[in-house]
Amino acid sequence: MKKSIIILLAVLFVAIFALGGCAKAEDPTTDDPAVSDAASVDEDGAKAIALEDAGVPETAAEDLTVTSEEVDGEQVYVIAFVWSGFDYQYTVSASTGEIVETIFDGEVLN
């Protein structure tokens, strides 16, 4: 009887520690492949963010340019392109990957 109680307690102990590791909190900022802890977003990452937001495949974007600028002390990328006769311009934060500004055919959207 003592032996079965010890085995039961051992199994219970192992199960508690095994399940305890499953409750680890995740950092949502590290799940985004375009954003890393070190320097965040590079030109390609910023371009991908803008094109995805616009719903435009890179192969369809005409006159696509990416420039690095500093705006209000923050490093940003400005991504500009033409698609279906409309001008798009995105400003993406280099540190967070967040879209700071969107201009569609000359009209500021945010």
Side-chain angles (χ1 to χ4, degrees):
M1 179 75 174
K2 277 187 171 181
K3 192 174 188 180
S4 62
I5 290 175
I6 292 173
I7 292 173
L8 179 63
L9 287 175
V11 170
L12 184 60
F13 183 73
V14 170
I16 288 171
F17 278 102
L19 292 175
C22 294
K24 179 183 161 195
E26 294 184 22
D27 181 2
T29 60
T30 59
D31 292 339
D32 187 349
V35 179
S36 69
D37 290 335
S40 327
V41 179
D42 61 7
E43 286 187 11
D44 288 334
K47 178 173 57 175
I49 289 167
L51 290 169
E52 181 178 331
D53 185 76
V56 176
E58 185 173 353
T59 55
E62 300 171 17
D63 302 324
L64 178 63
T65 61
V66 180
T67 57
S68 178
E69 298 180 8
E70 189 172 312
V71 176
D72 296 330
E74 180 183 4
Q75 194 66 34
V76 298
Y77 293 104
V78 177
I79 301 91
F81 56 93
V82 176
W83 184 66
S84 289
F86 294 103
D87 294 318
Y88 291 78
Q89 181 177 312
Y90 282 84
T91 304
V92 176
S93 169
S95 61
T96 66
E98 180 180 338
I99 297 171
V100 177
E101 181 178 61
T102 305
I103 299 175
F104 174 73
D105 216 30
E107 182 179 334
V108 177
L109 300 180
N110 61 343

